[in-house]
Amino acid sequence: MKELAKKVVKKIMDINPFDFLDNFSKKSQGMNSILSYLSEKQDVVTAGDLAIKLNVSTARIAVLLRKLEKQKLIEKTISPFDGRVTFVSITSAGQKYLNDEIEESITIMKKILEKVDINEINEFIRIANKIKKSIN
């Protein structure tokens, strides 16, 4: 079994799918996840809401919000009722950035679909989920 595992690891390393997958993963996590949630949400969103929804620590959310605010992609305001609560909203620049990211992802996926059949992609997703569950 050890030799088989070594061969599989070598084959995976040879094709290095992780660069491609990292590109999608990084875009779908962190800052883009915050922007997506803010874009979809029509109600007031707090930093705490984001931490719960995205299943990350409030400290991590604070770091990401600082980055987004520095880039003027979000706006933070302190609650007039409770100074410990921060409201977060997406700016028009943030919405444009998010739309551009989505378009880039769609462009990449269109290129993939030109060479890889949708059934193969679905099978890849099914297998990737099975592998993910086996190691979690």
Side-chain angles (χ1 to χ4, degrees), residues 34 47 51 57-68 76:
I34 290 172
S57 70
T58 53
R60 178 70 180 139
I61 289 293
V63 168
L64 293 171
L65 291 179
R66 273 194 298 277
K67 287 180 182 180
L68 289 166
K76 296 189 314 187

Side-chain angles (χ1 to χ4, degrees), residues 68-126:
L68 289 166
E69 187 176 37
K70 187 175 182 181
Q71 296 174 13
K72 301 198 184 312
L73 302 178
I74 62 148
E75 189 174 74
K76 296 189 314 187
T77 55
I78 303 298
S79 167
F81 307 109
D82 185 347
R84 298 168 297 171
V85 176
T86 302
F87 297 130
V88 185
S89 59
I90 190 168
T91 63
S92 57
Q95 189 63 58
K96 182 185 179 328
Y97 173 86
L98 180 62
N99 292 343
D100 290 347
E101 290 291 306
I102 291 168
E103 282 303 313
E104 182 182 345
S105 294
I106 290 169
T107 299
I108 292 168
M109 188 51 67
K110 283 169 48 179
K111 286 180 184 176
I112 293 167
L113 287 168
E114 289 173 3
K115 302 200 184 225
V116 182
D117 181 80
I118 187 66
N119 294 325
E120 293 172 310
I121 291 172
N122 287 333
E123 183 68 2
F124 170 77
I125 292 168
R126 185 190 68 74

